[in-house]
Amino acid sequence: MSNVVPILKTQGITMRFGGITAVNNLSIEVNPGEIVALIGPNGAGKTTAFNMITGVYTPTEGRIIYCGKDITGMKPDQITKNGIARTFQNIRLFKKLSVLENILIARHLRLKSDFLSATLRLPQYRMEEKQMREKVDVLINEFGLSKYQHEVASSLPYGVQRRLEIARALATEPSLLLLDEPAAGMNPKETEELTHFIRDIKERYNLTVFLIEHHMELVMEISERIYVLDFGETIAKGTANEIQNNPKVIEAYLGVEEDA
Amino acid sequence: MKKQDKILTIILIAGLFVFILSADLFFDSYIKRVLNLCAIYTILALSMNLINGFTGLFSLGHAGFMAIGAYVVGIFTVPVEMRSMVFYLKPMHPLIANIELPFFAALILGGLLAALVAFLIGAPVLRLRDDYLAIATLGFSEIIRIIITNAQSITNGSLGIKNIPPTANIWWIFGTAFVTIVFIILLISSSYGRAFKAIREDEIAAEAMGINLFNHKVLSFIIGAFFAGIGGGLYGALLGTVDPKNFLFVLTYNFLLIIVLGGMGSVSGTIISAFIVTAGQEWLRFLDEPLSIGSFDIPLFRPGFRMVVFSILLMLIVLFYRNGLMGTKELNWDMLKRIGSKFSFKRPKGGEAK
Amino acid sequence: MSSTTLQHLANGVSLGSLYALVAIGYTMVYGILRMINFAHGDIFMMAAYFAFFGIATFRVPWPFAFIGVILATALLGMLVERSAYRPLRDAPKNSILISAIGVSFLLENLANYLFSGKPKAFPEITFFANTVVIGGVSIQVITFFIPAVTMIILAILLYIINRTKLGMAMRAVSKDYETAMVMGIDINKVIAATFAIGSGLAAMGAIMWGIKYPQVQPMMGVMPGLKCFIAAVIGGIGNIKGAVIGGFILGLGEILLVAKLSSLTGYRDAFAFILLILILIFRPTGILGEKTTEKV
Ligand SMILES: Nc1ncnc2c1ncn2[C@@H]1O[C@H](COP(=O)(O)OP(=O)(O)OP(=O)(O)O)[C@@H](O)[C@H]1O
Ligand SMILES: [Mg+2]
């Protein structure tokens, strides 16, 4: 175990907003090829942790290491270029653009032609655009989005929007995929399907997956390891079994229910 | 594009060519001037729409970029021998006093200079959001104007530059407008254009997709400023005289009105609206003249009424018709055919069969 | 201190106070709606016309005229909010911005149309035109009157904001719009009150501006409007004390620039913008503003 180099490692990252500490001293490790989950009650700081990893926020303290490289303080676009892609808890598609455009945009980061060759449609750009479209076509088919490809994103059914967001993230060619509550708003059957789907794309695209989720069936079924946050503190980590029987975790979740 | 549509497009372009030719030959100079203004405003509004409508940056600096283009054309195309007459208060700076450029070179230089200034301004202001960006660009537009007013030996200060040769005829102007339109359409339908739209839709998602926000914003800003400079150059040459008062930031509101009416994020909407608004402002001049029927003076009509009507129009669009004519859609042949078939009595043959 | 320096200081302080009064309106609206009220400068201009007509045309004694002008301008501000901003409250931010620009454009054109574009001379009010001699320089009463009024207003305003129910509601709305709504605060009333107060202050600014710089014309609100917005940003937008500090920095800075570096007089209006850009680069939250991070 210890001789595996983790693909992602955070060293005591902390995020403070004015007075509140959203995440405190979080240290996690995700190894290549794993599916790891981050769980915790509402407001525990899970999304904040994702935002730090993807560069949306710069941690107040601590370091983030990706593939042995310190990415703390890098801009989100650089981090994506390095191979971390994500989805958002409150779906952030390009609402007025078509499904096709949404995914094409995610391939822009690999474009080599400059704007002038692109505008003047010089041969190199034409070739790149052609390859871009081919790759996107493959994704669209694999994700069952072909019948929607010319529709605007906001007009899609909710479940399809979630799928599109994952497809879009994959179009950036990541090694590490972060999913923020991918099953939010889904019924048990859809959640079940999503569970298989995540496993499936993980294998097919050779990914490492780090996900936040409230649906425990999903979490327990697919995660190899789980981290639990509560009020920004890491209260537990371990396998599904260990977590399910951890009294601190049970207390944290029950405590929240009492409040609500 | 379908083959039939390609043919239609070619016919349309040929038709426009014939129209300009006949306009050039048969129309009187007033109408030609209005048409030219419409085309120049198309360039200016389109370039502003690239920044505001397609990239979602709320910039109000267009009058400033336009001023740069207009002044470069003014400074470098006035014949050397006439300069002492134009710069009668303070002679032109010796470094440039003897440089005279052909119109085309001056036009491009104006565009490039505007782009350069946009690049320099962009670094600090494009990190700002929405209304801060608006006020900062507006501020820069005014700073440009203030510098122009004070740089007497280069710009002739508040006296302005007169005797700019009237090179910009209808061919120049419509030709440039055509090139601008084609360039912008190609740009926004390229991968870069998609990146611009992504930024407009959601900056955080765009950044998460690996788009460098700052670089792309600067790019859009520079290209927009370049065409604003070109538009300004044509404007200066059309008027024959430029003066700092021509480029007050309220001028930018005109372009804003055009793109809001046409649709933020629509090329065809902008073109249509540039013609409607510009021609409308000309042909509604009667609103500024006192009007009487018999001996009864209609009280509303007097100087200033026209602009009141236009500002009310802007308000009505924003309040009740927020997407303007086209929203982010484009006019295309399918849409035109659909509209056409609504108005014709005979159903077009084979139109439905496919 | 030389007598001219004293003169400049007095002028700077009084200009700064004027800026502060108008800047408060920007800052209050921004605090609550997170928008630049582009029309604020033009509301200021309308107030100057109201004062002109009240005193010069209808010959209302000035203290009454002032009260009437302040009330009328407060109404105008509420009307603008009601008709042009409220319908767009849930629209994309750019729409409200365009609407605000539209109102500004409309008020300018309306003034030009109704009152003609020709500048009008603001009537002289003997009381303010009197001069007092201090340290060998004669200074007009108005030059003292302006800062005094500003300080009194500021005290009253801070009292309202910190001590009254309305003020509490305002602070709640500006802190967290949604929560305030859930807590049962009547948002519309709070916003209307904000516009009324902001516009009323702009009216006071306009009246005193008219007395000090006696000329009224349709575009007179544009530059002061922009500068006061800049003052609000310098102080930290959303913060009332900040707006006052920003106003003073700008007013004093401008006067001293013109006085000490007279070769730069032509660049006087650029000074504010350059200051704006510097502050936005180096301290975007302004002097008293707090840093916030957008939630993702
Ligand atoms: N930009 C911000 N500014 C201020 N506070 C923030 C910001 N982002 C998050 N917070 C606060 O940090 C805490 C953690 O929020 P976060 O969104 O990370 O929780 P979460 O675990 O993802 O919860 P949920 O399950 O509801 O999505 C919350 O109290 C939240 O209000
Ligand atoms: Mg969350």
Side-chain angles (χ1 to χ4, degrees):
Chain A
M1 183 81 194
S2 63
N3 49 11
V4 186
V5 181
I7 183 167
L8 176 74
K9 190 167 151 185
T10 69
Q11 299 171 335
I13 50 173
T14 296
M15 188 73 219
R16 274 188 280 271
F17 299 108
I20 30 173
T21 305
V23 172
N24 190 28
N25 198 19
L26 173 68
S27 295
I28 53 161
E29 283 187 15
V30 180
N31 296 319
E34 269 189 318
I35 299 184
V36 175
L38 181 62
I39 62 170
N42 292 109
K46 306 178 295 294
T47 301
T48 305
F50 267 28
N51 283 336
M52 285 190 280
I53 296 169
T54 53
V56 177
Y57 302 151
T58 304
T60 326
E61 278 162 36
R63 313 259 85 190
I64 301 164
I65 315 289
Y66 172 72
C67 291
K69 185 165 153 191
D70 191 341
I71 57 165
T72 324
M74 262 193 196
K75 302 275 265 169
D77 59 287
Q78 289 173 306
I79 290 175
T80 308
K81 279 187 191 117
N82 274 296
I84 303 181
R86 74 174 289 183
T87 63
F88 295 90
Q89 179 171 357
N90 46 344
I91 311 184
R92 299 188 86 125
L93 290 167
F94 305 119
K95 292 198 183 68
K96 277 197 264 173
L97 307 182
S98 71
V99 169
L100 182 63
E101 280 177 303
N102 264 277
I103 307 182
L104 278 170
I105 285 164
R107 294 221 45 95
H108 182 68
L109 78 168
R110 307 281 172 217
L111 189 78
K112 292 195 187 65
S113 307
D114 60 58
F115 89 93
L116 215 52
S117 4
T119 306
L120 303 176
R121 302 288 192 272
L122 297 185
Q124 192 209 346
Y125 174 75
R126 282 176 188 241
M127 200 186 67
E128 280 194 283
E129 170 93 18
K130 191 162 156 269
Q131 287 169 349
M132 216 186 238
R133 284 179 186 267
E134 280 163 8
K135 286 208 170 131
V136 169
D137 250 2
V138 173
L139 265 176
I140 285 187
N141 285 327
E142 280 186 357
F143 276 70
L145 293 168
S146 19
K147 71 169 170 181
Y148 301 109
Q149 61 173 307
H150 296 295
E151 311 221 347
V152 288
S154 58
S155 72
L156 304 177
Y158 182 76
V160 181
Q161 293 197 14
R162 285 242 170 249
R163 230 185 310 151
L164 171 58
E165 219 195 3
I166 300 177
R168 188 181 67 171
L170 286 185
T172 63
E173 294 181 12
S175 313
L176 174 63
L177 179 63
L178 306 188
L179 301 172
D180 195 345
E181 302 199 15
M186 291 187 174
N187 62 34
K189 184 168 161 282
E190 289 167 329
T191 309
E192 169 83 30
E193 282 167 14
L194 182 74
T195 311
H196 294 300
F197 184 70
I198 293 174
R199 270 217 185 101
D200 185 42
I201 55 169
K202 181 205 149 214
E203 293 305 326
R204 203 155 2 130
Y205 293 91
N206 207 0
L207 297 170
T208 305
V209 178
F210 187 30
L211 60 88
I212 296 174
E213 195 41 78
H214 283 299
H215 285 69
M216 284 308 140
E217 323 82 85
L218 185 151
V219 172
M220 296 306 163
E221 193 177 334
I222 60 174
S223 340
E224 280 148 67
R225 287 182 309 111
I226 299 169
Y227 288 87
V228 190
L229 283 188
D230 189 23
F231 292 113
E233 303 288 342
T234 320
I235 57 166
K237 57 183 178 187
T239 62
N241 245 327
E242 290 162 6
I243 295 298
Q244 267 166 325
N245 299 319
N246 186 320
K248 266 195 189 161
V249 178
I250 297 167
E251 192 192 333
Y253 272 89
L254 289 181
V256 165
E257 261 160 38
E258 264 168 19
D259 282 352
Chain B
M1 235 195 279
K2 283 180 288 181
K3 195 172 168 209
Q4 189 196 17
D5 293 353
K6 258 190 193 151
I7 296 170
L8 282 172
T9 308
I10 292 169
I11 294 174
L12 178 76
I13 292 171
L16 280 175
F17 185 81
V18 173
F19 172 75
I20 296 167
L21 186 67
S22 44
D24 193 19
L25 292 175
F26 307 120
F27 288 2
D28 67 31
S29 62
Y30 173 68
I31 296 191
K32 265 200 260 183
R33 190 187 155 87
V34 173
L35 281 174
N36 281 332
L37 261 178
C38 290
I40 291 174
Y41 270 48
T42 301
I43 298 173
L44 290 159
L46 204 54
S47 54
M48 180 152 161
N49 210 347
L50 175 69
I51 300 171
N52 294 44
F54 286 101
T55 320
L57 306 169
F58 207 99
S59 159
L60 294 176
H62 241 53
F65 299 134
M66 187 183 169
I68 294 174
Y71 265 91
V72 169
V73 165
I75 290 165
F76 291 109
T77 64
V78 172
V80 170
E81 61 276 11
M82 287 172 92
R83 290 192 185 173
S84 60
M85 198 181 82
V86 175
F87 287 74
Y88 63 88
L89 261 189
K90 190 172 177 188
M92 206 172 190
H93 196 280
L95 261 181
I96 50 171
N98 291 314
I99 303 175
E100 189 182 328
L101 293 176
F103 177 62
F104 183 69
L107 193 63
I108 297 292
L109 184 67
L112 290 176
L113 195 64
L116 177 70
V117 170
F119 175 71
L120 298 175
I121 293 175
V125 303
L126 289 174
R127 298 180 194 280
L128 307 172
R129 276 280 172 83
D130 310 321
D131 27 19
Y132 279 90
L133 177 63
I135 212 102
T137 45
L138 193 155
F140 267 119
S141 160
E142 276 298 291
I143 292 176
I144 291 172
R145 208 179 62 81
I146 291 168
I147 292 175
I148 289 176
T149 314
N150 286 288
Q152 184 97 22
S153 65
I154 300 170
T155 61
N156 207 20
S158 53
L159 296 171
I161 297 178
K162 298 188 177 60
N163 295 319
I164 302 172
T167 323
N169 59 19
I170 198 164
W171 291 106
W172 269 110
I173 292 172
F174 274 77
T176 314
F178 182 76
V179 172
T180 308
I181 293 168
V182 171
F183 188 95
I184 295 211
I185 289 177
L186 286 173
L187 173 65
I188 58 172
S189 58
S190 78
S191 190
Y192 284 89
R194 288 193 293 262
F196 293 163
K197 287 189 249 177
I199 293 173
R200 171 190 74 196
E201 294 292 309
D202 187 333
E203 291 199 356
I204 290 179
E207 214 175 9
M209 291 305 112
I211 293 169
N212 183 318
L213 291 185
F214 184 65
N215 288 356
H216 284 81
K217 285 181 179 180
V218 171
L219 182 64
S220 166
F221 197 57
I222 289 178
I223 299 172
F226 174 79
F227 285 108
I230 298 281
L234 293 172
Y235 185 74
L238 180 74
L239 297 187
T241 142
V242 289
D243 134 13
K245 284 262 176 337
N246 288 343
F247 303 101
L248 283 166
F249 70 83
V250 280
L251 181 63
T252 305
Y253 292 173
N254 269 311
F255 312 137
L256 188 68
L257 170 65
I258 293 174
I259 62 180
V260 171
L261 173 65
M264 301 274 264
S266 170
V267 174
S268 41
T270 306
I271 301 170
I272 297 168
S273 155
F275 275 78
I276 294 179
V277 171
T278 316
Q281 290 200 356
E282 283 304 317
W283 281 311
L284 288 177
R285 277 196 190 280
F286 73 89
L287 294 177
D288 281 355
E289 310 292 330
L291 181 77
S292 42
I293 299 174
S295 62
F296 178 70
D297 283 333
I298 296 180
L300 286 175
F301 292 70
R302 62 189 147 90
F305 188 47
R306 190 173 58 116
M307 288 319 287
V308 173
V309 170
F310 269 91
S311 24
I312 292 175
L313 179 69
L314 177 62
M315 287 308 304
L316 291 179
I317 301 167
V318 183
L319 289 174
F320 302 110
Y321 206 56
R322 214 187 301 151
N323 291 329
L325 291 172
M326 303 292 297
T328 53
K329 293 197 191 66
E330 292 298 345
L331 209 54
N332 56 33
W333 289 113
D334 287 336
M335 196 187 286
L336 286 177
K337 283 178 211 161
R338 241 178 295 131
I339 297 169
S341 64
K342 250 186 223 163
F343 289 100
S344 65
F345 295 101
K346 274 183 281 175
R347 287 222 156 261
K349 265 186 271 170
E352 310 282 291
K354 266 190 269 178
Chain C
M1 208 186 294
S2 79
S3 62
T4 45
T5 311
L6 194 68
Q7 178 98 48
H8 291 319
L9 272 180
N11 280 333
V13 168
S14 97
L15 181 63
S17 309
L18 286 176
Y19 285 162
L21 276 179
V22 182
I24 291 172
Y26 278 109
T27 242
M28 287 178 71
V29 169
Y30 198 95
I32 287 191
L33 290 181
R34 302 273 177 267
M35 70 169 278
I36 300 178
N37 181 10
F38 263 86
H40 196 57
D42 303 291
I43 286 176
F44 167 91
M45 171 272 294
M46 286 306 246
Y49 271 105
F50 293 161
F52 169 82
F53 286 113
I55 300 169
T57 312
F58 299 111
R59 309 218 164 268
V60 183
W62 65 264
F64 298 109
F66 287 4
I67 293 169
V69 169
I70 291 167
L71 292 178
T73 312
L75 269 178
L76 177 66
M78 284 160 75
L79 179 74
V80 165
E81 189 274 324
R82 181 70 192 81
S83 52
Y85 303 158
R86 195 181 298 179
L88 294 173
R89 215 174 280 161
D90 298 317
K93 196 165 177 190
N94 282 357
S95 296
I96 306 189
L97 213 55
I98 296 170
S99 189
I101 292 173
V103 173
S104 153
F105 199 37
L106 177 62
L107 288 177
E108 283 158 21
N109 288 323
L110 215 52
N112 181 41
Y113 172 63
L114 295 174
F115 315 135
S116 107
K118 276 190 235 104
K120 295 187 191 307
F122 200 85
E124 190 183 280
I125 300 169
T126 336
F127 171 72
F128 296 112
N130 289 336
T131 55
V132 277
V133 180
I134 302 171
V137 250
S138 53
I139 295 176
Q140 283 190 327
V141 171
I142 185 69
T143 309
F144 296 109
F145 187 74
I146 294 172
V149 169
T150 304
M151 286 306 135
I152 295 168
I153 296 291
L154 182 65
I156 297 174
L157 195 63
L158 288 175
Y159 177 81
I160 293 179
I161 300 238
N162 292 323
R163 293 289 146 82
T164 65
K165 228 173 152 184
L166 173 67
M168 208 139 76
M170 281 176 165
R171 279 183 294 147
V173 175
S174 95
K175 193 123 214 143
D176 189 339
Y177 191 97
E178 265 96 43
T179 313
M181 207 145 64
V182 177
M183 305 283 275
I185 291 175
D186 186 342
I187 301 260
N188 286 337
K189 230 167 151 176
V190 172
I191 294 177
T194 307
F195 273 83
I197 295 176
S199 306
L201 296 181
M204 288 184 214
I207 294 166
M208 296 191 287
W209 185 281
I211 298 171
K212 187 135 175 74
Y213 310 100
Q215 204 186 57
V216 187
Q217 44 106 354
M219 301 301 279
M220 70 179 280
V222 174
M223 264 303 149
L226 289 170
K227 286 180 187 170
C228 294
F229 171 73
I230 293 171
V233 173
I234 292 174
I237 195 120
N239 187 310
I240 290 179
K241 283 184 213 150
V244 176
I245 295 175
F248 279 114
I249 292 180
L250 206 58
L252 275 168
E254 228 176 69
I255 297 282
L256 293 181
L257 176 86
V258 173
K260 300 289 171 206
L261 301 163
S262 51
S263 62
L264 292 180
T265 305
Y267 291 95
R268 176 175 175 166
D269 288 341
F271 170 71
F273 289 112
I274 291 167
L275 215 56
L276 171 75
I277 297 195
L278 291 178
I279 202 104
L280 288 177
I281 297 170
F282 295 109
R283 198 179 157 83
T285 53
I287 296 171
L288 296 183
E290 285 160 25
K291 188 172 184 284
T292 57
T293 319
E294 194 200 356
K295 260 190 201 178
V296 174

